[in-house]
PDB file of all heavy atoms in Angstrom:
ATOM      1  N   SER A  38     145.215 136.738  33.575  1.00 98.00           N
ATOM      2  CA  SER A  38     146.343 136.021  32.982  1.00 98.00           C
ATOM      3  C   SER A  38     146.490 136.366  31.503  1.00 98.00           C
ATOM      4  O   SER A  38     147.606 136.603  31.007  1.00 98.00           O
ATOM      5  CB  SER A  38     146.142 134.510  33.153  1.00 98.00           C
ATOM      6  OG  SER A  38     147.131 133.791  32.487  1.00 98.00           O
ATOM      7  N   PHE A  39     145.367 136.418  30.796  1.00 98.00           N
ATOM      8  CA  PHE A  39     145.370 136.765  29.375  1.00 98.00           C
ATOM      9  C   PHE A  39     145.894 138.188  29.178  1.00 98.00           C
ATOM     10  O   PHE A  39     146.691 138.446  28.267  1.00 98.00           O
ATOM     11  CB  PHE A  39     143.954 136.620  28.815  1.00 98.00           C
ATOM     12  CG  PHE A  39     143.845 136.902  27.350  1.00 98.00           C
ATOM     13  CD1 PHE A  39     144.327 135.998  26.421  1.00 98.00           C
ATOM     14  CD2 PHE A  39     143.256 138.069  26.895  1.00 98.00           C
ATOM     15  CE1 PHE A  39     144.221 136.248  25.066  1.00 98.00           C
ATOM     16  CE2 PHE A  39     143.148 138.330  25.542  1.00 98.00           C
ATOM     17  CZ  PHE A  39     143.628 137.426  24.619  1.00 98.00           C
ATOM     18  N   ASP A  40     145.469 139.108  30.043  1.00 98.00           N
ATOM     19  CA  ASP A  40     145.925 140.497  29.978  1.00 98.00           C
ATOM     20  C   ASP A  40     147.442 140.572  30.139  1.00 98.00           C
ATOM     21  O   ASP A  40     148.127 141.243  29.359  1.00 98.00           O
ATOM     22  CB  ASP A  40     145.235 141.318  31.068  1.00 98.00           C
ATOM     23  CG  ASP A  40     145.757 142.736  31.150  1.00 98.00           C
ATOM     24  OD1 ASP A  40     145.642 143.465  30.137  1.00 98.00           O
ATOM     25  OD2 ASP A  40     146.271 143.127  32.213  1.00 98.00           O
ATOM     26  N   MET A  41     147.962 139.879  31.142  1.00 98.00           N
ATOM     27  CA  MET A  41     149.416 139.899  31.372  1.00 98.00           C
ATOM     28  C   MET A  41     150.169 139.299  30.187  1.00 98.00           C
ATOM     29  O   MET A  41     151.204 139.822  29.766  1.00 98.00           O
ATOM     30  CB  MET A  41     149.759 139.132  32.660  1.00 98.00           C
ATOM     31  CG  MET A  41     149.230 139.777  33.921  1.00 98.00           C
ATOM     32  SD  MET A  41     149.999 141.376  34.241  1.00 98.00           S
ATOM     33  CE  MET A  41     151.605 140.838  34.743  1.00 98.00           C
ATOM     34  N   SER A  42     149.649 138.218  29.639  1.00 98.00           N
ATOM     35  CA  SER A  42     150.285 137.579  28.494  1.00 98.00           C
ATOM     36  C   SER A  42     150.291 138.515  27.286  1.00 98.00           C
ATOM     37  O   SER A  42     151.314 138.664  26.611  1.00 98.00           O
ATOM     38  CB  SER A  42     149.547 136.278  28.152  1.00 98.00           C
ATOM     39  OG  SER A  42     150.072 135.710  26.976  1.00 98.00           O
ATOM     40  N   CYS A  43     149.157 139.158  27.031  1.00 98.00           N
ATOM     41  CA  CYS A  43     149.067 140.090  25.887  1.00 98.00           C
ATOM     42  C   CYS A  43     150.004 141.273  26.075  1.00 98.00           C
ATOM     43  O   CYS A  43     150.686 141.687  25.136  1.00 98.00           O
ATOM     44  CB  CYS A  43     147.630 140.578  25.714  1.00 98.00           C
ATOM     45  SG  CYS A  43     146.532 139.324  25.053  1.00 98.00           S
ATOM     46  N   ARG A  44     150.039 141.822  27.276  1.00 98.00           N
ATOM     47  CA  ARG A  44     150.923 142.963  27.543  1.00 98.00           C
ATOM     48  C   ARG A  44     152.381 142.582  27.320  1.00 98.00           C
ATOM     49  O   ARG A  44     153.153 143.354  26.748  1.00 98.00           O
ATOM     50  CB  ARG A  44     150.724 143.483  28.965  1.00 98.00           C
ATOM     51  CG  ARG A  44     149.434 144.228  29.155  1.00 98.00           C
ATOM     52  CD  ARG A  44     149.275 144.668  30.614  1.00 98.00           C
ATOM     53  NE  ARG A  44     147.976 145.195  30.871  1.00 98.00           N
ATOM     54  CZ  ARG A  44     147.666 146.487  30.841  1.00 98.00           C
ATOM     55  NH1 ARG A  44     148.595 147.369  30.548  1.00 98.00           N
ATOM     56  NH2 ARG A  44     146.442 146.885  31.096  1.00 98.00           N
ATOM     57  N   SER A  45     152.749 141.405  27.774  1.00 98.00           N
ATOM     58  CA  SER A  45     154.119 140.940  27.612  1.00 98.00           C
ATOM     59  C   SER A  45     154.462 140.768  26.134  1.00 98.00           C
ATOM     60  O   SER A  45     155.517 141.205  25.668  1.00 98.00           O
ATOM     61  CB  SER A  45     154.318 139.623  28.353  1.00 98.00           C
ATOM     62  OG  SER A  45     155.577 139.074  28.085  1.00 98.00           O
ATOM     63  N   ARG A  46     153.572 140.134  25.399  1.00 98.00           N
ATOM     64  CA  ARG A  46     153.817 139.910  23.976  1.00 98.00           C
ATOM     65  C   ARG A  46     153.855 141.227  23.200  1.00 98.00           C
ATOM     66  O   ARG A  46     154.669 141.401  22.292  1.00 98.00           O
ATOM     67  CB  ARG A  46     152.752 138.989  23.389  1.00 98.00           C
ATOM     68  CG  ARG A  46     152.885 137.571  23.896  1.00 98.00           C
ATOM     69  CD  ARG A  46     151.796 136.683  23.355  1.00 98.00           C
ATOM     70  NE  ARG A  46     151.904 135.349  23.914  1.00 98.00           N
ATOM     71  CZ  ARG A  46     151.334 134.297  23.403  1.00 98.00           C
ATOM     72  NH1 ARG A  46     150.597 134.391  22.313  1.00 98.00           N
ATOM     73  NH2 ARG A  46     151.474 133.121  23.968  1.00 98.00           N
ATOM     74  N   LEU A  47     152.968 142.150  23.557  1.00 98.00           N
ATOM     75  CA  LEU A  47     152.969 143.446  22.893  1.00 98.00           C
ATOM     76  C   LEU A  47     154.242 144.235  23.207  1.00 98.00           C
ATOM     77  O   LEU A  47     154.772 144.931  22.343  1.00 98.00           O
ATOM     78  CB  LEU A  47     151.730 144.256  23.284  1.00 98.00           C
ATOM     79  CG  LEU A  47     150.420 143.791  22.654  1.00 98.00           C
ATOM     80  CD1 LEU A  47     149.243 144.529  23.278  1.00 98.00           C
ATOM     81  CD2 LEU A  47     150.444 143.977  21.148  1.00 98.00           C
ATOM     82  N   ALA A  48     154.739 144.125  24.426  1.00 98.00           N
ATOM     83  CA  ALA A  48     155.982 144.797  24.792  1.00 98.00           C
ATOM     84  C   ALA A  48     157.152 144.235  23.983  1.00 98.00           C
ATOM     85  O   ALA A  48     157.997 144.988  23.480  1.00 98.00           O
ATOM     86  CB  ALA A  48     156.256 144.650  26.288  1.00 98.00           C
ATOM     87  N   THR A  49     157.186 142.913  23.830  1.00 98.00           N
ATOM     88  CA  THR A  49     158.235 142.284  23.032  1.00 98.00           C
ATOM     89  C   THR A  49     158.134 142.718  21.576  1.00 98.00           C
ATOM     90  O   THR A  49     159.144 143.062  20.949  1.00 98.00           O
ATOM     91  CB  THR A  49     158.125 140.742  23.121  1.00 98.00           C
ATOM     92  OG1 THR A  49     158.250 140.353  24.490  1.00 98.00           O
ATOM     93  CG2 THR A  49     159.187 140.053  22.306  1.00 98.00           C
ATOM     94  N   LEU A  50     156.935 142.735  21.056  1.00 98.00           N
ATOM     95  CA  LEU A  50     156.708 143.170  19.675  1.00 98.00           C
ATOM     96  C   LEU A  50     157.105 144.630  19.500  1.00 98.00           C
ATOM     97  O   LEU A  50     157.727 144.996  18.492  1.00 98.00           O
ATOM     98  CB  LEU A  50     155.245 142.961  19.302  1.00 98.00           C
ATOM     99  CG  LEU A  50     154.854 143.194  17.848  1.00 98.00           C
ATOM    100  CD1 LEU A  50     155.643 142.280  16.919  1.00 98.00           C
ATOM    101  CD2 LEU A  50     153.365 142.979  17.665  1.00 98.00           C
ATOM    102  N   ASN A  51     156.790 145.451  20.477  1.00 98.00           N
ATOM    103  CA  ASN A  51     157.162 146.864  20.423  1.00 98.00           C
ATOM    104  C   ASN A  51     158.682 147.036  20.372  1.00 98.00           C
ATOM    105  O   ASN A  51     159.196 147.871  19.618  1.00 98.00           O
ATOM    106  CB  ASN A  51     156.579 147.612  21.623  1.00 98.00           C
ATOM    107  CG  ASN A  51     156.775 149.093  21.521  1.00 98.00           C
ATOM    108  OD1 ASN A  51     156.530 149.695  20.474  1.00 98.00           O
ATOM    109  ND2 ASN A  51     157.223 149.710  22.603  1.00 98.00           N
ATOM    110  N   GLU A  52     159.401 146.257  21.159  1.00 98.00           N
ATOM    111  CA  GLU A  52     160.868 146.314  21.153  1.00 98.00           C
ATOM    112  C   GLU A  52     161.414 145.930  19.777  1.00 98.00           C
ATOM    113  O   GLU A  52     162.332 146.572  19.257  1.00 98.00           O
ATOM    114  CB  GLU A  52     161.452 145.392  22.223  1.00 98.00           C
ATOM    115  CG  GLU A  52     161.228 145.872  23.632  1.00 98.00           C
ATOM    116  CD  GLU A  52     161.655 144.851  24.673  1.00 98.00           C
ATOM    117  OE1 GLU A  52     162.238 143.807  24.302  1.00 98.00           O
ATOM    118  OE2 GLU A  52     161.400 145.107  25.854  1.00 98.00           O
ATOM    119  N   LYS A  53     160.856 144.885  19.196  1.00 98.00           N
ATOM    120  CA  LYS A  53     161.308 144.447  17.870  1.00 98.00           C
ATOM    121  C   LYS A  53     161.013 145.508  16.817  1.00 98.00           C
ATOM    122  O   LYS A  53     161.855 145.774  15.950  1.00 98.00           O
ATOM    123  CB  LYS A  53     160.645 143.123  17.484  1.00 98.00           C
ATOM    124  CG  LYS A  53     161.142 141.946  18.293  1.00 98.00           C
ATOM    125  CD  LYS A  53     160.424 140.665  17.894  1.00 98.00           C
ATOM    126  CE  LYS A  53     160.917 139.483  18.703  1.00 98.00           C
ATOM    127  NZ  LYS A  53     160.240 138.232  18.342  1.00 98.00           N
ATOM    128  N   LEU A  54     159.830 146.112  16.879  1.00 98.00           N
ATOM    129  CA  LEU A  54     159.477 147.161  15.921  1.00 98.00           C
ATOM    130  C   LEU A  54     160.380 148.386  16.080  1.00 98.00           C
ATOM    131  O   LEU A  54     160.803 148.988  15.090  1.00 98.00           O
ATOM    132  CB  LEU A  54     158.013 147.566  16.082  1.00 98.00           C
ATOM    133  CG  LEU A  54     156.994 146.588  15.532  1.00 98.00           C
ATOM    134  CD1 LEU A  54     155.584 147.023  15.932  1.00 98.00           C
ATOM    135  CD2 LEU A  54     157.096 146.475  14.024  1.00 98.00           C
TER     136      LEU A  54
END
Side-chain angles (χ1 to χ4, degrees):
S38 174
F39 182 73
D40 174 60
M41 294 294 288
S42 175
C43 287
R44 287 178 189 265
S45 173
R46 290 178 183 198
L47 286 172
T49 301
L50 187 59
N51 188 46
E52 289 172 6
K53 290 178 180 180
L54 285 172

